[in-house]
Amino acid sequence: PPAIRKISEDHDKVFVTGCLEPDTSQPRANAAFVVLARNKELDGVIQSVKSIERHFNRWYHYPYVFLNDGEFNSTFKETIMNYTSSPVEFGQIDPKMWGFPDWIDPKVAKEGIAKQGDAAIMYGGMESYHAMCRFYSGFFYKHELLQKYEWYWRLEPEIKYFCDITYDPFLKMIETNKTYGFTIAVKELKETVPNIWRYASAYKRVNNLTSQGLWEMFVEPQEEKKVEEEDKHPLPEEILRGDPSHASIPEIDPEAMEGEKYNMCHFWSNFEIAKLSWFRSQAYEDFFQMMDRSGGFWMERWGDAPIHSLAAGALLAPRDIHYFRDFGYRHTTIQHCPANAPARQMPRHPFLEKTTLDLKARKEEDEYWETWDAVKENGVGCRCK
Ligand code: GDP
Ligand code: MN
């Protein structure tokens, strides 16, 4: 999206370029990897841990915090410990941070979720997915195991890093006074967030926040704007039912909305490196509360990615954001491959140009990287292989 260019050209530079040995001489940041997972995802989690250990953490030894709404079994815990020498903590999530809040009628919410399932909205019919999105939007940073940390790096099952990361991104974020880092920005599925923009812009307006330049990243450009009846999503009645704070949300003034429509762009939050104090700030809490009280985490399927992104849009400036475009990263079907990565060293394969990959392409690509890893087994080499 155009605003990524805006971030990268105007305000943001690659932290470290060229080949280098990992510099581990400085003290570590107060930071941890955060992994939310279920026991059944063990294989995917191992893949992710192996990858981040191989490409970064074997030099830096940052600790891990694993979180689960259920209880991690001993197989999960023992297996994970075999793949890292870093400190690892396993935590269970308090039911207060997971599932329906007490001010929502569970029957209404369940009906809303079932409807989204019927409408074939991606993950819309899965109550646990809604709970997960809400947890990552408003609670993970309040978990007791994260209290001691100032920074986190989010890790998900089934991700892969392609390049060695031979500098400490936390220290660079601190040094350059950054708040939030991403590596992929994509467009959200419209049907998952029909009303998210109305509430996010209401938050901005109610709090008299003027854009610091990042909000524009999420605004549909004028020329692409189509005023179509189907695009005007009336606030569903259910959303407002049992919502004590709705009265504080002003009616949307159509004039004020003019030229402001969500372009669906968001930072893909399965990778994030960010400062926890931002999430813990009063401003972010107010934002979360307003979004939460709308019921949109249940009656729609708001993801934590657009929530984090729109909060950043309302509260941060482009200079606060870092685009980790030097990180080769893949999460299931979407990837970001730094342009300089494999091209110089190995024949370039068509799948390296792709941003979305089917199963076959992923398998081919894995084999390609395996070969390359084997060749480079013993050396650190360039940051990007
Ligand atoms: P996707 O990346 O949007 O396809 O969603 P995922 O299934 O990967 O879920 C996002 C993250 O939340 C992953 O780290 C999952 O392991 C985690 N997650 C999703 N649902 C649950 C759940 O019900 N319980 C737990 N403990 N973790 C979950
Ligand atoms: Mn995932």
Side-chain angles (χ1 to χ4, degrees):
I4 301 287
R5 248 171 289 143
K6 190 174 158 61
I7 287 177
S8 43
E9 282 165 15
D10 298 355
H11 299 274
D12 192 41
K13 298 271 179 311
V14 175
F15 285 145
V16 174
T17 53
C19 303
L20 79 171
E21 295 288 317
D23 173 14
T24 57
S25 60
Q26 285 172 283
R28 297 297 159 268
N30 183 6
F33 289 102
V34 173
V35 192
L36 176 70
R38 293 157 286 199
N39 290 315
K40 65 176 181 194
E41 291 172 296
L42 181 56
D43 287 348
V45 174
I46 292 169
Q47 181 197 309
S48 302
V49 171
K50 270 167 86 171
S51 182
I52 195 65
E53 285 292 323
R54 164 167 208 144
H55 290 289
F56 173 74
N57 212 37
R58 60 170 154 151
W59 303 300
Y60 291 92
H61 306 291
Y62 274 101
Y64 291 80
V65 177
F66 288 85
L67 299 176
N68 187 354
D69 60 309
E71 209 176 320
F72 284 117
N73 60 36
S74 50
T75 312
F76 188 98
K77 292 195 261 196
E78 283 158 22
T79 310
I80 293 297
M81 308 286 266
N82 288 335
Y83 287 90
T84 178
S85 57
S86 288
V88 182
E89 288 187 289
F90 297 93
Q92 202 169 345
I93 296 164
D94 193 299
K96 281 197 200 80
M97 298 184 173
W98 193 273
F100 301 127
D102 53 16
W103 47 264
I104 205 159
D105 180 347
K107 227 183 114 233
V108 173
K110 278 178 193 286
E111 277 167 22
I113 290 165
K115 252 199 218 165
Q116 296 165 61
D118 294 344
I121 289 168
M122 197 180 179
Y123 298 125
M126 254 174 97
E127 191 180 310
S128 61
Y129 196 89
H130 289 256
M132 179 276 288
C133 292
R134 184 170 175 266
F135 173 74
Y136 259 131
S137 296
F139 296 98
F140 77 97
Y141 48 89
K142 297 170 184 160
H143 193 279
E144 57 180 1
L145 290 182
L146 290 192
Q147 289 318 301
K148 54 183 173 294
Y149 295 115
E150 292 168 31
W151 291 84
Y152 76 101
W153 182 334
R154 175 161 158 186
L155 202 64
E156 272 207 11
E158 282 191 77
I159 59 97
K160 198 176 177 104
Y161 285 90
F162 299 131
C163 309
D164 285 356
I165 299 163
T166 51
Y167 63 89
D168 183 330
F170 297 115
L171 294 184
K172 285 289 169 198
M173 296 278 282
I174 293 167
E175 201 180 298
T176 52
N177 204 18
K178 299 284 181 183
T179 299
Y180 186 93
F182 71 99
T183 183
I184 291 175
V186 287
K187 293 225 172 188
E188 186 53 287
L189 302 166
K190 266 189 178 166
E191 61 275 16
T192 65
V193 290
N195 283 288
I196 199 169
W197 181 255
R198 301 183 72 179
Y199 284 95
S201 27
Y203 167 80
K204 211 167 136 268
R205 202 167 48 254
V206 167
N207 292 286
N208 286 317
L209 297 169
T210 49
S211 169
Q212 302 175 63
L214 191 62
W215 183 256
E216 285 68 28
M217 169 172 177
F218 304 107
V219 179
E220 180 95 326
Q222 202 78 25
E223 59 273 18
E224 289 174 35
K225 203 182 64 184
K226 279 187 248 122
V227 188
E228 282 167 15
E229 210 48 44
E230 59 180 4
D231 282 339
K232 289 188 208 148
H233 295 279
L235 277 182
E237 278 229 347
E238 309 93 277
I239 252 196
L240 308 173
R241 226 181 285 162
D243 175 3
S245 69
H246 174 254
S248 67
I249 302 175
E251 282 300 306
I252 306 297
D253 171 3
E255 292 289 312
M257 292 297 282
E258 190 58 36
E260 287 219 338
K261 207 178 130 203
Y262 188 24
N263 63 6
M264 302 294 145
C265 185
H266 62 285
F267 304 126
W268 218 30
S269 61
N270 50 73
F271 168 94
E272 276 178 339
I273 296 180
K275 200 197 234 172
L276 288 160
S277 63
W278 178 57
F279 289 101
R280 293 170 181 146
S281 69
Q282 191 59 49
Y284 184 89
E285 181 61 21
D286 292 347
F287 177 83
F288 173 71
Q289 286 302 330
M290 178 150 180
M291 302 309 281
D292 191 33
R293 290 285 166 154
S294 76
F297 287 109
W298 308 104
M299 306 311 294
E300 298 183 0
R301 207 234 65 204
W302 293 357
D304 52 282
I307 289 285
H308 291 183
S309 301
L310 293 176
L315 299 169
L316 301 177
R319 66 172 171 280
D320 301 317
I321 308 292
H322 183 66
Y323 175 21
F324 281 100
R325 51 203 162 301
D326 52 331
F327 284 15
Y329 176 76
R330 187 173 89 202
H331 170 268
T332 55
T333 54
I334 304 184
Q335 69 177 7
H336 169 72
C337 189
N340 69 345
R344 292 188 207 140
Q345 338 236 358
M346 284 183 89
R348 199 161 182 101
H349 284 259
F351 48 68
L352 296 171
E353 311 288 350
K354 290 186 182 168
T355 50
T356 60
L357 296 154
D358 61 19
L359 207 61
K360 186 167 161 282
R362 272 189 270 165
K363 203 161 164 285
E364 277 176 36
E365 198 189 53
D366 280 342
E367 280 162 12
Y368 171 89
W369 287 107
E370 282 310 314
T371 317
W372 186 230
D373 281 352
V375 174
K376 297 285 284 185
E377 209 166 86
N378 297 314
V380 169
C382 285
R383 272 187 319 109
C384 284
K385 295 178 183 173

